[in-house]
Amino acid sequence: METRANFVLIGAFTLAVIAAAFGFVLWFQSLHTTKARSPIRVVFEGPATGLRNGGSVNFNGIRVGEVISVKLDNPRRVIALAMVENKAPIRKDTLVGLEFQGLTGVAAISLKGGEEAAPPVPLDEDGIPVLTADPSALQDVTEAIRATLQNVNRIVSDNQDSVKNSLRNLETFTGALARNSEKIDNVMLKVDGVMGKADSLMLGLDSIAGGKNGGELAAMVKAIKDLAEDFDKRSGLLMADGRRTLGDISRAVNNLDRNPTRLLFGAGNSAPAEAAPPPAAPRPPAAGPGPRRQQ
């Protein structure tokens, strides 16, 4: 029980340290952000179409800040409060206007130009720098929007026939699809059938090549391997027997060459000794002068 309590204390202490570290990072980041940015007030003598909270503040097209509040000071004036980076080279003669990202995008405060040697932005009563937007720049933006809309309207007007033909073709196409909906359904059913067969084929291939125990392919490969190993063993035995047989034949041929009589009389008998030639018959004595026959 005491060990479990120690574990609980260690876990709680670890979580507390992590939470403290996370809070310190957030605090340091917010402090750094606060030091890196300063408020600036922008006054629009006229409408500020499209400007809202969260809009960008761009200096020469580069984002340097963010709008944090937009309010009406009187029926003809709009005041926007923004947080801008301290490194942004904003001067008293910096031109202020509005710019849009696309035709219907959110408006952004546009800051442009200014001499490097010009004095800093003048401060308002509460110590916040104040810039007044150039009415001509706002008028230029409004005129640009109107010109863009007029160009779009002119393009549509000049291509009414093409637009009508495109819409008519689209209508014809959708009508053809509606008329052939049954055929399309049949085609889709056939496609589903083909896909089902493809799934079955893939499952079959998976059962052959994979599976829990390696699949049928692994079993076939193992059987072929076992057959090859068995054939190798048997061929080795046959070759050994062949070598012994050839040795026996070689020894028999050598023995026959040394003693060919063994082929006729066997290994235990030898050939009969050659008979000695018979002794020569005694020659009759030579005829001498015998007794003469009396007459």
Side-chain angles (χ1 to χ4, degrees):
M1 189 70 180
E2 185 178 356
T3 303
R4 183 177 181 182
N6 292 333
F7 288 159
V8 172
L9 290 176
I10 292 172
F13 179 76
T14 303
L15 293 176
V17 171
I18 294 174
F22 187 75
F24 176 79
V25 170
L26 291 179
W27 172 79
F28 183 79
Q29 185 176 4
S30 63
L31 181 63
H32 179 72
T33 303
T34 303
K35 289 183 178 180
R37 291 188 175 187
S38 298
I40 188 171
R41 185 175 289 122
V42 180
V43 179
F44 295 92
E45 297 290 346
T49 306
L51 188 63
R52 64 186 66 178
N53 293 346
S56 298
V57 178
N58 300 330
F59 191 93
N60 290 341
I62 299 175
R63 181 184 173 94
V64 295
E66 181 180 350
V67 178
I68 60 175
S69 94
V70 179
K71 65 180 180 179
L72 288 170
D73 185 53
N74 59 52
R76 296 179 60 90
R77 189 165 70 168
V78 178
I79 297 178
L81 183 65
M83 297 296 295
V84 180
E85 296 178 4
N86 295 332
K87 295 181 180 180
I90 303 175
R91 299 291 184 267
K92 182 179 179 179
D93 57 349
T94 299
L95 297 178
V96 183
L98 290 176
E99 61 183 11
F100 295 86
Q101 297 179 351
L103 183 61
T104 59
V106 178
I109 297 177
S110 174
L111 305 176
K112 295 181 181 179
E115 296 293 335
E116 187 175 357
V121 180
L123 303 180
D124 203 352
E125 296 176 355
D126 53 0
I128 298 177
V130 178
L131 284 175
T132 301
D134 186 3
S136 62
L138 297 178
Q139 187 68 22
D140 292 340
V141 171
T142 305
E143 291 179 357
I145 294 174
R146 290 177 179 175
T148 303
L149 293 175
Q150 288 176 359
N151 291 332
V152 172
N153 188 21
R154 186 180 302 111
I155 291 172
V156 173
S157 299
D158 294 340
N159 296 276
Q160 285 184 357
D161 294 337
S162 299
V163 173
K164 290 180 180 179
N165 291 332
S166 299
L167 294 176
R168 191 178 296 109
N169 292 334
L170 181 60
E171 183 179 1
T172 302
F173 178 71
T174 54
L177 288 179
R179 288 192 301 271
N180 295 277
S181 59
E182 294 182 358
K183 294 181 180 180
I184 295 174
D185 292 338
N186 293 331
V187 171
M188 294 304 297
L189 290 175
K190 292 181 181 179
V191 171
D192 291 338
V194 172
M195 294 301 296
K197 292 181 180 179
D199 292 338
S200 301
L201 177 61
M202 294 303 296
L203 291 175
L205 293 176
D206 182 67
S207 63
I208 292 175
K212 182 178 180 181
N213 297 323
E216 298 178 5
L217 183 60
M220 293 169 61
V221 172
K222 185 176 183 302
I224 294 173
K225 182 179 178 181
D226 295 340
L227 179 61
E229 291 178 354
D230 184 65
F231 179 76
D232 187 29
K233 292 178 181 178
R234 292 181 181 273
S235 62
L237 295 176
L238 290 174
M239 291 181 68
D241 293 340
R243 290 193 186 97
R244 286 196 296 269
T245 303
L246 289 175
D248 294 340
I249 294 173
S250 178
R251 285 193 296 272
V253 170
N254 291 332
N255 292 334
L256 180 62
D257 185 50
R258 288 195 301 269
N259 191 1
T261 58
R262 299 182 65 180
L263 183 63
L264 298 175
F265 302 103
N269 298 323
S270 59
E274 187 177 356
R283 298 179 63 184
R292 293 184 178 181
R293 187 176 179 180
Q294 298 180 358
Q295 295 180 356

